[in-house]
Amino acid sequence: PSNLPGYATHQVGVAGAVLDEDTGKVLVVQDRNKTINAWKFPGGLSDQGEDIGVTAVREVLEETGIHSEFKSLLSIRQQHNHPGAFGKSDLYIVCRLKPLSYKINFCPQECLKCEWMDLQELAYCSNTTPITSRIARLLLYGYKEGFHHIDLTMRTFPAVYSGLFYSLYHKRLPETYNRNNNLI
Amino acid sequence: PSNLPGYATHQVGVAGAVLDEDTGKVLVVQDRNKTINAWKFPGGLSDQGEDIGVTAVREVLEETGIHSEFKSLLSIRQQHNHPGAFGKSDLYIVCRLKPLSYKINFCPQECLKCEWMDLQELAYCSNTTPITSRIARLLLYGYKEGFHHIDLTMRTFPAVYSGLFYSLYHKRLPETYNRNNNLI
């Protein structure tokens, strides 16, 4: 094993699945510069030092004009030799967001179209990417049967050595497991 | 929004929580070069182009001599200004692994100690890191009540534009949501 310090091997992108729970509609875009006009969730690359949920909210706002808040992390995608990443790998994270505004004002440099689409329609339509379709089905499962089935929630922890803080994402832990005893 | 191509902002590390389901014991190490001798899961940095589960299995083998196989992804940790990452950010992913061998032969350059520890003990002992403790409790929850409560499973998808493949991790989707119709 090498004792060399680490180096950055991945770019990190974040997409936001903004679901309006009152109407069952989700915010989708079509990219301007792609040959296939597939519906997908708005998103983009993290800036240096930016938390995952912050990237999701910022990218959604920049692309669509919709204000939103972070609810959970839903999925992680890894791809190697990512096009446009200088031979590096790509981690793309999809977050569940809640809308705080509804009036679309999309960025014409980035998007060809933007709309609120029925989640069930997105989950089973053909003009979308395989991953968007998959995440839409996951989101539909959570919407119908409870988001606790699909959500990774976030908690902040102090790092032992550095004095910095970590953000940790995982399935919610029942309170019985989170007491400082072993009487389970 | 910038039209510049992306660049690598994160190093990616992976830890392996190797649980022997027959005995309820989990594989833990103490790092050699740290001032606090806290029990933690073995792990280390991904090599360029290496899948998350492959890193976990490789690092566990290098540090402890234990052979294992990937079962699921459990948790993601993000930290900015990570020490030893040249000011970059760090994503650390914890995987659930299943042991394929049991005889420890740990790397003395990396580890001070290595042992199979009762999972319940790790979950509630004090000489561990906050995150190891948290993940041990999550793993205990899965061990007692079913791993479907905590696992993110992996599936591979074709990328639309590049012809490459993605690995996608999320909570398991019930089969009823995964058929190509909307009769739910």
Side-chain angles (χ1 to χ4, degrees):
Chain A
S2 166
N3 291 313
L4 287 172
Y7 58 97
T9 53
H10 285 67
Q11 66 177 23
V12 172
V14 188
V18 188
L19 177 65
D20 181 350
E21 294 176 44
D22 293 332
T23 62
K25 288 180 187 288
V26 66
L27 187 66
V28 288
V29 298
Q30 289 188 8
D31 281 346
R32 172 159 289 283
N33 298 312
K34 304 287 187 181
T35 47
I36 302 167
N37 289 325
W39 291 109
K40 45 177 285 202
F41 301 117
L45 292 176
S46 273
D47 290 335
Q48 187 70 60
E50 188 177 50
D51 277 347
I52 290 165
V54 174
T55 305
V57 167
R58 176 182 56 74
E59 284 285 343
V60 165
L61 180 61
E62 286 177 5
E63 285 192 34
T64 71
I66 297 295
H67 294 264
S68 63
E69 66 180 8
F70 175 79
K71 299 301 285 183
S72 73
L73 197 157
L74 293 179
S75 178
I76 300 141
R77 186 194 77 183
Q78 187 179 43
Q79 192 190 37
H80 303 299
N81 303 305
H82 190 72
F86 302 115
K88 296 286 187 172
S89 299
D90 177 80
L91 276 182
Y92 207 69
I93 294 167
V94 185
C95 296
R96 182 167 75 81
L97 306 179
K98 182 180 174 176
L100 299 174
S101 71
Y102 302 90
K103 191 173 182 312
I104 289 170
N105 180 19
F106 70 87
C107 171
Q109 277 86 50
E110 292 194 77
C111 305
L112 197 64
K113 298 181 187 174
C114 175
E115 63 181 57
W116 290 102
M117 182 184 282
D118 187 82
L119 176 57
Q120 177 115 0
E121 184 185 338
L122 179 66
Y124 298 102
C125 76
S126 59
N127 55 334
T128 185
T129 69
I131 287 175
T132 303
S133 179
R134 185 86 180 164
I135 300 299
R137 291 170 191 198
L138 185 75
L139 193 57
L140 187 64
Y141 170 43
Y143 182 53
K144 292 200 174 209
E145 304 192 24
F147 291 119
H148 65 280
H149 288 292
I150 63 168
D151 282 348
L152 302 197
T153 53
M154 198 265 274
R155 203 173 140 171
T156 301
F157 283 86
V160 173
Y161 305 113
S162 62
L164 298 172
F165 288 88
Y166 292 123
S167 296
L168 191 71
Y169 302 82
H170 56 68
K171 275 305 298 295
R172 187 150 75 182
L173 187 64
E175 199 46 48
T176 44
Y177 289 88
N178 201 25
R179 297 192 200 108
N180 279 315
N181 59 51
N182 58 5
L183 304 172
I184 292 172
Chain B
S2 165
N3 291 312
L4 288 172
Y7 57 97
T9 52
H10 285 68
Q11 67 177 22
V12 172
V14 187
V18 188
L19 177 64
D20 181 350
E21 292 177 46
D22 293 331
T23 62
K25 288 180 188 287
V26 67
L27 187 66
V28 288
V29 297
Q30 289 188 7
D31 282 346
R32 173 159 288 284
N33 298 312
K34 303 288 186 181
T35 47
I36 302 167
N37 289 326
W39 291 109
K40 45 177 285 203
F41 301 117
L45 292 176
S46 274
D47 290 335
Q48 186 69 60
E50 189 178 48
D51 277 346
I52 289 165
V54 175
T55 305
V57 167
R58 176 181 58 74
E59 284 284 343
V60 165
L61 180 61
E62 287 177 6
E63 285 193 34
T64 71
I66 297 296
H67 294 265
S68 63
E69 66 179 9
F70 174 80
K71 299 301 285 182
S72 72
L73 197 157
L74 293 178
S75 179
I76 300 142
R77 186 195 77 184
Q78 187 178 42
Q79 192 189 38
H80 303 300
N81 302 306
H82 189 72
F86 303 113
K88 295 286 187 172
S89 299
D90 177 81
L91 276 181
Y92 207 69
I93 294 167
V94 185
C95 295
R96 182 167 75 81
L97 306 180
K98 181 180 175 176
L100 298 174
S101 71
Y102 301 90
K103 190 173 182 310
I104 290 171
N105 180 19
F106 71 86
C107 171
Q109 277 86 50
E110 291 193 78
C111 305
L112 196 65
K113 297 181 188 174
C114 175
E115 64 181 57
W116 290 101
M117 181 184 283
D118 187 82
L119 177 58
Q120 178 114 2
E121 184 185 338
L122 180 67
Y124 298 102
C125 76
S126 59
N127 56 333
T128 185
T129 68
I131 287 175
T132 303
S133 179
R134 185 87 180 162
I135 300 299
R137 291 170 190 198
L138 185 74
L139 193 57
L140 187 65
Y141 169 44
Y143 182 51
K144 293 200 174 206
E145 303 192 25
F147 291 118
H148 65 279
H149 287 293
I150 63 168
D151 282 348
L152 301 198
T153 53
M154 197 266 273
R155 203 173 139 171
T156 301
F157 283 86
V160 172
Y161 305 113
S162 64
L164 299 171
F165 288 87
Y166 292 123
S167 297
L168 191 71
Y169 302 83
H170 56 67
K171 275 303 299 296
R172 187 150 74 182
L173 187 64
E175 199 46 48
T176 44
Y177 288 89
N178 201 25
R179 296 193 201 108
N180 278 315
N181 59 52
N182 58 4
L183 304 173
I184 294 172

